[in-house]
Amino acid sequence: MNQDEHYMTFAIEEAKKAEQEGEVPIGAVIVHDGEIIAKGYNQREQSQLASSHAEFIAIERANEKIGSWRLEDCTLYVTLEPCPMCAGAIVQSRIPRVVYGAKDPKAGCAGTLMNLLEEERFNHQAEVVPFIMEETCSEMLTTFFRTLREKKRKQRDPDKS
Ligand SMILES: [Zn+2]
């Protein structure tokens, strides 16, 4: 296991916390000098805040921990490719390196739909390292949505199982 895979396992642990709370399983950690300084997982349903994405929460916690809006020399690990809002927060916090697991065909802004992190016209770019432990990260999501669909189907037709 290389270093990126090592830290991604902690992001996956965060995603599992989300799943246990009935949230879409997405997790993130921020690493500075080899140390995890902030963690976060998706809490959108509980908070009912559009900003409660895993990496957005982790960025705010890292800002608090470091006492600065700048997160230079940090690497963000997130199980799902960042959306436009989170990519914006990454650029605004000057994070230089982003490692993600699964790509997001519906919202991914780190290379899939567009690449806001390596956009030369912005004043900051982040290096993107995609598809680290991709299978584990995307399987968690696939399983979550499959279970959700089955639950909904059973609610509609309680006689069928
Ligand atoms: Zn996001």
Side-chain angles (χ1 to χ4, degrees), residues 11 46 141 144 158:
Q46 295 165 73
L141 290 162
F144 177 83

Side-chain angles (χ1 to χ4, degrees), residues 59-112:
I59 287 170
E60 287 191 324
R61 287 182 179 157
N63 287 148
E64 266 172 39
K65 172 107 182 201
I66 286 188
S68 168
W69 58 268
R70 288 175 184 271
L71 299 178
E72 285 159 351
D73 307 317
C74 289
T75 298
L76 169 75
Y77 292 85
V78 58
T79 58
L80 182 69
E81 183 180 0
C83 74
M85 174 185 71
C86 293
I90 290 162
V91 172
Q92 292 306 323
S93 58
R94 309 289 188 261
I95 293 172
R97 190 163 179 269
V98 173
V99 179
Y100 75 80
K103 71 172 175 182
D104 185 352
K106 289 182 180 161
C109 279
T112 298

Side-chain angles (χ1 to χ4, degrees), residues 131-147:
F131 313 137
I132 299 298
M133 303 192 74
E134 182 185 16
E135 224 178 298
T136 312
C137 294
S138 63
E139 251 175 38
M140 281 190 300
L141 290 162
T142 318
T143 310
F144 177 83
F145 286 113
R146 191 189 301 131
T147 313

